[in-house]
Amino acid sequence: MAETKYQSDMSVFGENAPFPLTVALSEEERLRTHAAKRQEAIVALGRRAVAPPTLPILLHDAAALLAEMFDAEYSGVAEALPDGKTLRRQLMRRDDSDEPTPCDAEATTLDGNASLGAYALELAHPVVVANLVEETRFTDLFLRRHGIASAVAIPLRLRGEAFGALGAYSVRPGHFGKDDVLFMESIGHLIATTIGRCRAEDELARERKLSEGVLGVVDALVLILDRQWRIVHVNRACQSITGFAAAEIEGRPIWDVFVVQEANGWVRTLMDRCHESRKPVEYESVLQTKHSARRRIAWRYQTVLDSEGAVSSIVATGIDITERCDLQKRLDVKEREAMAAKKELAEWKETQRQASEALAEMPEIVPFSAMPTPLNAERRQRPRRSYPYAQRIAPIIKGELPKEQDFEAVECNDIAAGGFSFFATHPPVSDAIVVALGTPPKVTYLTAQVAHITRQTRNGRRMYLIGCSYTGRIHY
């Protein structure tokens, strides 16, 4: 077996070493030492790639490492420019201290016939050249004018995208062998992965900055929640409307911050339904601000899935409809007033007509006197609108929204923008209910809170008149 001798480091003993140390290495030991040095080089470069400097510096360091490991006189870097047509090349020469010094540069095309780097990118595989002058696969005059005779190049590609190539060059023909390819591929994969990761991080940072900029000018409330419904991010409009700074609420579950106590149960039920079905959920509820003011918000929750189809986050958007609801209430009041006035006018006209007919039939004119007002007459100037129709209700038990089969029909008494009343043979089992107003397919589901219960006798039966106030709207 062939042996190799080398002089050990005499600095261990100093100048007064008793005798020179000579160690004989077998070929097997030499190969193991050679492989260990290459492994150490990969580890060192990998550590640097974890938190890399600027990409040009990382590329030059990797190329210089190749030249050092192969004992080559030159190293080179080729970068594919964003135009998709140009390859920018730079050649470095190792000096006496093994430091690479730039010695030449050029810009060429990505045509595989024009250079070694372009050919390696086109081939998507390491390329070893034994004699550059006799090479027929491509012509590289840039390398030949520096007296380079043999070369090796590794393409930097990731998921079909070409970043460039690294190369090591020697003025000695046949300097590189096929055994060097595996080491080059390890370096190439490491650098290509690092470039891809850095570009992805830069793109993500740009998208995040753009998203934050867009969310900052949106008037709607926008909250990013994690899969446990904890607040991760809120936009400027949310902070302005709710009065909470981002630092005060981030990391807290959304129902601990914005949902009023009486709606907590059914809102969490809707959230769980959104999580399970992966479909958007929309509803209206009252939001309590930091200063205890109440705002009515139309919410929409949308899940965001990861690459494996699991829920990674939830985007909650809300529109403040408080003013719109207040306006609707005022319009409802004016509508009721107009209808009441119209009814009073019609009744007055009917009374006048009947009085005129009665007076016309009398032989003598009898002075007319107004009848006294009964003691139990309605004294409200603006009564609720009569609504003698059968509708369906169901209780909310322990915060759980009722199912479709839980609804039962009741006879409504009256209705208004803020609530309604109905007759029942027994008091409700829960203070919170859901009422289904309308007829299929146009049905509106509203949540309501029982405000009062009055026992009455109706058509000879003991009944209960139950008055309720609306608290929100849900969608089934």
Side-chain angles (χ1 to χ4, degrees):
M1 182 177 290
E3 295 184 348
T4 301
K5 295 183 179 181
Y6 69 94
Q7 188 70 30
S8 67
D9 188 354
M10 299 298 294
S11 62
V12 176
F13 298 97
E15 295 180 356
N16 299 320
F19 52 85
L21 297 180
T22 301
V23 181
L25 293 181
S26 67
E27 180 65 18
E28 182 179 354
E29 291 172 335
R30 186 190 67 80
L31 292 176
R32 282 202 302 266
T33 302
H34 186 63
K37 287 184 178 180
R38 291 191 173 188
Q39 186 62 35
E40 290 174 0
I42 292 176
V43 171
L45 189 61
R47 288 172 179 169
R48 196 163 188 197
V50 172
T54 61
L55 286 178
I57 293 178
L58 183 64
L59 292 174
H60 283 73
D61 287 351
L65 176 65
L66 288 176
E68 181 180 349
M69 290 294 101
F70 295 148
D71 192 25
E73 295 85 356
Y74 291 91
S75 61
V77 173
E79 293 184 69
L81 299 187
D83 62 6
K85 300 177 181 178
T86 307
L87 190 68
R88 183 170 57 200
R89 309 171 68 192
Q90 187 169 16
L91 187 66
M92 284 81 67
R93 183 178 178 86
R94 292 173 61 200
D95 57 21
D96 296 337
S97 61
D98 285 337
E99 290 296 324
T101 302
C103 60
D104 201 354
E106 74 162 7
T108 183
T109 68
L110 278 170
D111 183 1
N113 296 321
S115 66
L116 170 59
Y119 180 73
L121 275 173
E122 186 178 276
L123 192 63
H125 191 272
V127 177
V128 178
V129 179
N131 194 320
L132 196 60
V133 176
E134 299 176 356
E135 180 60 52
T136 59
R137 294 171 293 180
F138 58 88
T139 301
D140 198 323
L141 299 178
F142 176 73
L143 298 179
R144 287 171 59 179
R145 72 169 172 256
H146 288 276
I148 293 172
S150 60
V152 62
I154 180 71
L156 302 178
R157 299 178 65 92
L158 186 66
R159 293 189 290 272
E161 184 178 1
F163 302 137
L166 300 176
Y169 317 115
S170 175
V171 296
R172 293 161 286 175
H175 183 69
F176 304 98
K178 293 182 179 180
D179 294 340
D180 299 326
V181 172
L182 183 60
F183 175 69
M184 287 202 63
E185 282 190 312
S186 300
I187 297 295
H189 290 321
L190 176 61
I191 298 301
T193 303
T194 301
I195 294 174
R197 190 195 78 230
C198 291
R199 291 190 177 183
E201 290 174 350
D202 291 343
E203 182 65 24
L204 181 61
R206 285 194 296 270
E207 291 182 358
R208 184 172 297 154
K209 187 175 181 180
L210 176 61
S211 299
E212 291 176 354
V214 172
L215 294 180
V217 299
V218 172
D219 291 335
L221 291 81
V222 181
L223 300 90
I224 309 299
L225 314 171
D226 65 15
R227 53 183 314 194
Q228 281 77 39
W229 299 94
R230 291 187 295 258
I231 299 172
V232 177
H233 175 75
V234 294
N235 69 338
R236 191 178 306 164
C238 181
Q239 298 178 60
S240 175
I241 293 173
T242 65
F244 289 101
E248 296 179 278
I249 57 178
E250 288 178 352
R252 297 172 58 186
I254 186 172
W255 50 74
D256 285 352
V257 182
F258 296 134
V259 181
V260 296
Q261 187 63 33
E262 57 265 29
N264 197 314
W266 62 266
V267 168
R268 291 185 64 170
T269 300
L270 284 175
M271 290 179 177
D272 292 340
R273 187 175 299 172
C274 172
H275 212 297
E276 293 170 1
S277 67
R278 316 288 175 85
K279 295 180 181 179
V281 169
E282 299 179 359
Y283 70 95
E284 293 179 13
S285 69
V286 175
L287 176 149
Q288 185 164 304
T289 69
K290 180 179 181 179
H291 306 292
S292 299
R294 293 197 169 197
R295 310 290 296 179
R296 180 163 287 276
I297 307 296
W299 288 105
R300 186 178 194 273
Y301 292 103
Q302 174 68 63
T303 56
V304 179
L305 307 181
D306 59 20
S307 59
E308 298 180 354
V311 175
S312 61
S313 60
I314 302 98
V315 178
T317 55
I319 300 176
D320 189 347
I321 58 174
T322 307
E323 283 73 19
R324 189 177 76 190
C325 291
D326 291 343
L327 176 61
Q328 185 62 48
K329 289 180 180 179
R330 292 194 295 270
L331 292 175
D332 289 344
V333 169
K334 291 184 179 297
E335 181 182 357
R336 290 198 302 270
E337 291 176 348
M339 293 182 65
K342 185 177 180 180
K343 182 179 179 181
E344 290 175 1
L345 178 61
E347 291 175 350
W348 180 81
K349 288 183 177 180
E350 178 63 20
T351 302
Q352 293 300 313
R353 185 188 64 79
Q354 294 176 0
S356 298
E357 291 178 354
L359 288 173
E361 295 175 356
M362 290 182 181
E364 295 182 4
I365 299 177
V366 180
F368 178 78
S369 59
M371 296 296 291
T373 302
L375 293 177
N376 60 349
E378 174 62 52
R379 295 179 181 274
R380 292 182 296 182
Q381 295 181 355
R382 300 174 182 176
R384 287 186 175 184
R385 184 186 308 168
S386 177
Y387 195 73
Y389 304 103
Q391 299 295 302
R392 296 182 302 132
I393 68 165
I396 299 176
I397 305 297
K398 295 182 180 180
E400 293 289 334
L401 291 176
K403 297 181 173 58
E404 193 66 27
Q405 60 267 27
D406 297 334
F407 285 81
E408 64 176 351
V410 297
E411 180 184 357
C412 289
N413 179 49
D414 57 24
I415 195 168
F420 75 108
S421 65
F422 64 94
F423 293 103
T425 59
H426 54 82
V429 297
S430 172
D431 291 339
I433 65 171
V434 176
V435 57
L437 297 177
T439 57
K442 296 182 179 180
V443 178
T444 299
Y445 292 91
L446 302 174
T447 58
Q449 188 79 17
V450 174
H452 66 82
I453 302 175
T454 305
R455 189 163 57 186
Q456 293 186 353
T457 301
R458 179 176 173 80
N459 298 328
R461 299 175 59 198
R462 176 180 291 181
M463 302 287 287
Y464 293 88
L465 178 62
I466 302 164
C468 303
S469 299
Y470 300 132
T471 58
R473 176 181 295 176
I474 61 174
H475 300 271
Y476 272 82

